[in-house]
Amino acid sequence: MESINKTIKQGKNINYKLKVSFEEAKKDEVFNSLVQSINLSDDELMKYTSSLEDSALEYKNCKSCKSLLTCKNKMEGYCYLPVLSDGKLNFSYVACKYKNKYLKENYFRKNVTSFDVPKEIMEAKVKNIYTDDKNRQEVIKWILNYIKDYKKGEIKKGLYLHGNFGCGKTYLIAAMFNELAKEKVKSVIIYYPEYLRNLKASYSSSSSDEFKDKFNEVKYAKLLLIDDLGAEAVTNWSRDEVLGTILQYRMQENLPTFITSNLNLKELEEHLSVTTNNKSEKVKARRIIERIRQLTVDMEMISKNNRL
């Protein structure tokens, strides 16, 4: 009997503390407004005091928020809110107006897969391409024509775009991919040096499936951008087994391939030779270059370094 009375007393103490905490929380205008909007009694609502306080705080943040960049909530662009369903109170993350606008404007990004690519590149837009520099105009014109022709069903060679650091080579092609993604065209962008490191790590691991998935996603991509070719440390494996195999398959299947580099094709051939005094290495490097020539149009762009 004593044990039962003790349990009852403990239960009353817990309810009392919940009630006190709830009433204290109601002194906050936003919290009180929130609980008033929920069709449940105070006795039910006080069980959720802590979660309701979190909701009130996030809702308060949303009221003073001006953009996604200034979001203070735990999940950027989402507010933790109570939802009453069949008499039961649940909590879920609801997208704010800024997040909804972003999702609506960027729905197509799911069609672009990337490996270690900066956010700026992933969000590249044709309308934001810098056009004032005359040295960029030929390449920009080529890009715009490619978009127009591809939409008409004309599948043409890709582009080998080389030039100085920071002149916007990758941005231009990424903007093109994003534009075509709106037409549900799937593409893959890889930062080549990091892609090789990841590929090698998965090759060395116990999971051969991980290696195959990473390799095949690039090999079979409908549109592919190999970014910064020539910046990697060359090995026989990376040149012959990875790059050579990818290019060979894409050449046979007529899959549009785009490449950016700081090296022209002659410089790239020297880079790929590994041991420049070895004749067989030079032949293998030349074979890669010939595949690139078959797959792409060679263009140079020398412009202002926008990274400075």
Short mmCIF file of all heavy atoms in Angstrom, two decimals, residues 58 74-75 78-81 91-95:
data_model
loop_
_atom_site.label_atom_id
_atom_site.label_comp_id
_atom_site.label_asym_id
_atom_site.label_seq_id
_atom_site.Cartn_x
_atom_site.Cartn_y
_atom_site.Cartn_z
N GLU A 58 11.74 28.52 -33.12
CA GLU A 58 12.01 28.46 -34.56
C GLU A 58 11.02 29.34 -35.33
O GLU A 58 11.40 30.00 -36.31
CB GLU A 58 11.96 27.02 -35.05
CG GLU A 58 13.07 26.15 -34.48
CD GLU A 58 13.63 25.16 -35.48
OE1 GLU A 58 12.94 24.83 -36.45
OE2 GLU A 58 14.80 24.73 -35.30
N LYS A 74 17.61 25.00 -36.83
CA LYS A 74 18.50 23.83 -36.87
C LYS A 74 18.67 23.30 -38.28
O LYS A 74 19.77 22.93 -38.69
CB LYS A 74 17.97 22.74 -35.94
CG LYS A 74 18.10 23.07 -34.46
CD LYS A 74 17.54 21.95 -33.59
CE LYS A 74 17.66 22.30 -32.11
NZ LYS A 74 17.08 21.23 -31.25
N MET A 75 17.56 23.24 -39.02
CA MET A 75 17.61 22.82 -40.42
C MET A 75 17.34 24.03 -41.29
O MET A 75 16.26 24.62 -41.24
CB MET A 75 16.55 21.73 -40.71
CG MET A 75 16.93 20.36 -40.20
SD MET A 75 15.69 19.11 -40.68
CE MET A 75 15.84 19.16 -42.47
N TYR A 78 13.85 25.35 -42.85
CA TYR A 78 12.73 24.58 -42.30
C TYR A 78 12.41 25.06 -40.88
O TYR A 78 13.28 25.48 -40.14
CB TYR A 78 13.06 23.10 -42.25
CG TYR A 78 13.17 22.47 -43.63
CD1 TYR A 78 14.38 22.46 -44.31
CD2 TYR A 78 12.05 21.89 -44.25
CE1 TYR A 78 14.49 21.89 -45.58
CE2 TYR A 78 12.15 21.32 -45.50
CZ TYR A 78 13.36 21.33 -46.17
OH TYR A 78 13.46 20.76 -47.41
N CYS A 79 11.13 24.96 -40.54
CA CYS A 79 10.67 25.33 -39.20
C CYS A 79 10.04 24.11 -38.53
O CYS A 79 9.24 23.38 -39.16
CB CYS A 79 9.64 26.46 -39.30
SG CYS A 79 9.16 27.13 -37.69
N TYR A 80 10.40 23.88 -37.29
CA TYR A 80 9.92 22.73 -36.52
C TYR A 80 8.55 23.08 -35.94
O TYR A 80 8.44 23.87 -35.02
CB TYR A 80 10.92 22.44 -35.40
CG TYR A 80 10.66 21.19 -34.60
CD1 TYR A 80 10.70 19.93 -35.19
CD2 TYR A 80 10.41 21.28 -33.22
CE1 TYR A 80 10.48 18.79 -34.43
CE2 TYR A 80 10.20 20.14 -32.46
CZ TYR A 80 10.24 18.89 -33.08
OH TYR A 80 10.03 17.76 -32.33
N LEU A 81 7.49 22.48 -36.49
CA LEU A 81 6.14 22.89 -36.13
C LEU A 81 5.27 21.70 -35.70
O LEU A 81 5.47 20.58 -36.15
CB LEU A 81 5.47 23.58 -37.32
CG LEU A 81 6.06 24.92 -37.75
CD1 LEU A 81 5.36 25.42 -39.00
CD2 LEU A 81 5.95 25.95 -36.63
N PHE A 91 5.30 16.42 -34.44
CA PHE A 91 6.13 17.56 -34.83
C PHE A 91 6.92 17.19 -36.10
O PHE A 91 7.44 16.07 -36.22
CB PHE A 91 7.10 17.94 -33.71
CG PHE A 91 6.41 18.51 -32.51
CD1 PHE A 91 5.82 17.68 -31.56
CD2 PHE A 91 6.32 19.89 -32.33
CE1 PHE A 91 5.17 18.20 -30.46
CE2 PHE A 91 5.67 20.41 -31.22
CZ PHE A 91 5.09 19.57 -30.28
N SER A 92 6.99 18.14 -37.01
CA SER A 92 7.73 17.88 -38.25
C SER A 92 8.36 19.18 -38.76
O SER A 92 7.96 20.28 -38.37
CB SER A 92 6.81 17.29 -39.32
OG SER A 92 5.76 18.20 -39.63
N TYR A 93 9.34 19.03 -39.65
CA TYR A 93 10.01 20.19 -40.25
C TYR A 93 9.26 20.61 -41.51
O TYR A 93 9.09 19.82 -42.44
CB TYR A 93 11.46 19.85 -40.57
CG TYR A 93 12.35 19.80 -39.34
CD1 TYR A 93 12.63 18.59 -38.70
CD2 TYR A 93 12.89 20.97 -38.81
CE1 TYR A 93 13.42 18.54 -37.57
CE2 TYR A 93 13.68 20.93 -37.67
CZ TYR A 93 13.94 19.72 -37.06
OH TYR A 93 14.73 19.68 -35.93
N VAL A 94 8.82 21.85 -41.51
CA VAL A 94 8.05 22.40 -42.63
C VAL A 94 8.89 23.47 -43.34
O VAL A 94 9.46 24.35 -42.68
CB VAL A 94 6.73 23.02 -42.13
CG1 VAL A 94 5.94 23.61 -43.29
CG2 VAL A 94 5.90 21.97 -41.38
N ALA A 95 8.98 23.37 -44.66
CA ALA A 95 9.78 24.32 -45.44
C ALA A 95 9.18 25.72 -45.36
O ALA A 95 7.97 25.90 -45.42
CB ALA A 95 9.87 23.87 -46.88
#
